[in-house]
Amino acid sequence: MGLLDSFIEWLGLRRRDVNVLVIGLDNSGKSSLLNYLRPKDAQRNDIAPTVGFNTEHFQCKGLSFTAFDMSGQSRYRSLWSNYYRTTNGIIFVIDSSDKTRILIAREELQQLLIHPDIISRNIPILFFANKMDIRDALSDVGVSYALGLDSITNKSWHICSSNALNGDGVADGIEWLSSAIKSSMDQAR
């Protein structure tokens, strides 16, 4: 990259394209989260469960995101690994009110962290402790403990409380992810 290209990028006139995976168990709020990131006039009122995957696009902090909204149904979770090699970041959405399935989410996270395409790369992971508006939902600290996030020492990660329907916590999380991806990409140069 030449000096002029670096200057243009520094000014924010050129957006860098990045891929992120949006994963988590079914009914955790992945599609609702991405729906919230759409322009207001493009948001949908009826969110159907994702079968396979969908893509959404959004921008933040000079990055142009292509988000792969992956189905969280058990029969589709094996598809997640097909996208690990080309991802720049991961958004892992947890239904913080579903205490009975948080152990399944922990198992899926552990499988992700030991995958050969993930283990050796510093891919930033944003955790959304979603559905915080539901009574008796675990706090972000409770979700962090239940998932064992303190054991992740070789990746940048962050957890945010969120409500994907009204957007609480979403912007803060996406801004963190944008900064973490930029930092990771700059280190890889």
Side-chain angles (χ1 to χ4, degrees):
M1 181 182 314
L3 185 59
L4 181 59
D5 288 336
S6 297
F7 183 68
I8 289 171
E9 191 170 297
W10 179 79
L11 288 174
L13 300 175
R14 177 182 308 138
R15 297 200 180 274
R16 289 195 260 181
D17 295 330
V18 296
N19 294 328
V20 294
L21 289 181
V22 183
I23 58 177
L25 302 184
D26 51 306
N27 201 35
S28 60
K30 300 175 299 295
S31 298
S32 295
L33 176 91
L34 290 174
N35 186 55
Y36 181 80
L37 292 170
R38 294 169 144 216
K40 294 287 182 208
D41 60 342
Q43 291 180 359
R44 295 176 286 197
N45 292 328
D46 55 331
I47 305 295
T50 303
V51 175
F53 73 94
N54 292 319
T55 57
E56 293 288 345
H57 302 277
F58 62 93
Q59 297 181 3
C60 183
K61 288 190 158 188
L63 296 178
S64 180
F65 285 84
T66 298
F68 294 89
D69 175 11
M70 306 301 294
S71 178
Q73 297 172 21
S74 60
R75 67 178 173 244
Y76 294 113
R77 289 184 209 141
S78 62
L79 296 175
W80 296 358
S81 62
N82 295 331
Y83 297 85
Y84 292 168
R85 185 170 295 180
T86 60
T87 194
N88 301 102
I90 296 170
I91 299 173
F92 198 108
V93 183
I94 302 98
D95 179 347
S96 59
S97 70
D98 190 353
K99 296 172 188 165
T100 59
R101 294 196 327 145
I102 202 152
L103 291 178
I104 297 169
R106 181 182 179 135
E107 290 171 10
E108 293 296 338
L109 173 62
Q110 294 304 317
Q111 291 302 307
L112 171 128
L113 293 172
I114 63 171
H115 191 279
D117 291 333
I118 298 292
I119 196 167
S120 63
R121 297 171 50 211
N122 183 17
I123 299 171
I125 306 174
L126 170 61
F127 295 92
F128 276 118
N130 198 31
K131 302 186 182 183
M132 294 305 287
D133 57 314
I134 296 177
R135 187 171 191 210
D136 294 329
L138 290 172
S139 68
D140 55 353
V141 172
V143 170
S144 178
Y145 179 76
L147 294 177
L149 300 185
D150 59 340
S151 67
I152 302 173
T153 58
N154 65 337
K155 309 243 177 290
S156 301
W157 64 270
H158 181 71
I159 188 165
C160 278
S161 298
S162 67
N163 176 343
L165 296 178
N166 69 12
D168 287 347
V170 174
D172 291 340
I174 297 300
E175 286 184 18
W176 176 86
L177 184 62
S178 297
S179 295
I181 288 173
K182 279 183 171 181
S183 177
S184 177
M185 291 172 79
D186 290 345
Q187 290 173 1
R189 284 186 191 180

